[in-house]
Amino acid sequence: EDQVTQSPEALRLQEGESSSLNCSYTVSGLRGLFWYRQDPGKGPEFLFTLYSAGEEKEKERLKATLTKKESFLHITAPKPEDSATYLCAVHSGYSSASKIIFGSGTRLSIRP
Amino acid sequence: DGGITQSPKYLFRKEGQNVTLSCEQNLNHDAMYWYRQDPGQGLRLIYYSQIVNDFQKGDIAEGYSVSREKKESFPLTVTSAQKNPTAFYLCASLSGTGKNYGYTFGSGTRLTVV
């Protein structure tokens, strides 16, 4: 069964303290892996799409990497405004029955 | 700017009442989706539509209904058969090509049963 698991569930960091969020997946045929940021009471905001193992993408203090079994979202020198829930999702399969599965998210809190 | 508009932002439903959540997009995307989000859980797929006049059930379709009469619009009706409708509802469309392939989400509707 296709599955996406994010860890940790919650992470509290001091401003400037770098860390990584994990998204492990088990799917039949990876079409794409997505990272989203979600602020409370709002819809998710697109960050990255990764397509194949070894791929990396960066945006400001965020860097996403992908292997055959997991993806990491690295946060370098975070600021309080980086506090949010980060969602990982995987699009599996190329047929009309392909589906996108979301993890339950990691709640990130950055203390000033 | 192109995007997805959901309305209303907050909605209150009485027991036994049907309510409809609006979702409109001007991105010219073919595929549209409805998700439900509960605290501590991932997004769960309710219904999706890949073309006009066609839609499929997702993982938790019971108690919900949709229509897709226009490419731009994909309303969701929460019926009285949905026993636990209090949740945050998200509408999305999917860009199938390009480097930004992925979902674009609306800002969500928070539904509360009173």
Side-chain angles (χ1 to χ4, degrees), chain B residues 4 25 45 50 58 69 71-72 97 104 112 114:
Chain B
I4 295 182
Q25 58 107 349
L45 182 63
Q50 294 182 309
E69 298 177 359
K71 187 175 186 177
E72 301 80 14
T97 60
T104 299
T112 303
V114 296

Side-chain angles (χ1 to χ4, degrees), chain A residues 31-32 34 36 38 40-46 48-49 51 57 87 89 91 95-105 107, chain B residues 9-10 33 35 37 40-45 48 50 59 88 90 94 96-108 110:
Chain A
R31 182 169 172 179
F34 312 113
Y36 287 87
Q38 186 176 25
K42 297 187 177 180
E45 174 189 345
F46 173 81
F48 306 108
T49 303
Y51 295 97
K57 289 190 176 176
L87 300 173
H91 192 179
S95 70
S96 59
S98 69
K99 55 192 303 185
I100 296 177
I101 305 167
F102 281 83
S104 55
R107 294 189 312 278
Chain B
K9 188 172 177 65
Y10 299 98
Y33 302 77
Y35 282 93
Q37 188 174 35
Q41 297 191 38
L43 277 65
R44 292 185 290 167
L45 182 63
Y48 65 101
Q50 294 182 309
D59 300 319
F88 190 52
L90 288 161
L94 181 66
T97 60
K99 69 175 183 178
N100 289 328
Y101 151 65
Y103 279 137
T104 299
F105 284 92
S107 56
R110 184 165 299 281

Side-chain angles (χ1 to χ4, degrees), chain A residues 4-8 11 20-25 35 67 69-74 86 88 105-106:
Chain A
V4 177
T5 303
Q6 290 188 248
S7 62
L11 181 62
S20 298
L21 312 182
N22 177 264
C23 172
S24 63
Y25 61 92
W35 281 100
T67 72
K69 295 184 178 180
E70 59 192 349
S71 175
F72 291 95
L73 184 65
H74 306 279
Y86 290 85
C88 170
T106 293

Side-chain angles (χ1 to χ4, degrees), chain A residues 15-72:
Chain A
E15 183 173 1
E17 180 184 0
S18 301
S19 188
S20 298
L21 312 182
N22 177 264
C23 172
S24 63
Y25 61 92
T26 305
V27 296
S28 52
L30 177 68
R31 182 169 172 179
L33 184 143
F34 312 113
W35 281 100
Y36 287 87
R37 168 193 171 126
Q38 186 176 25
D39 293 300
K42 297 187 177 180
E45 174 189 345
F46 173 81
L47 292 174
F48 306 108
T49 303
L50 302 168
Y51 295 97
S52 57
E55 188 174 3
E56 299 182 352
K57 289 190 176 176
E58 290 188 65
K59 180 180 181 180
E60 298 180 353
R61 294 178 291 281
L62 300 176
K63 178 180 177 181
T65 61
L66 181 65
T67 72
K68 289 186 177 180
K69 295 184 178 180
E70 59 192 349
S71 175
F72 291 95

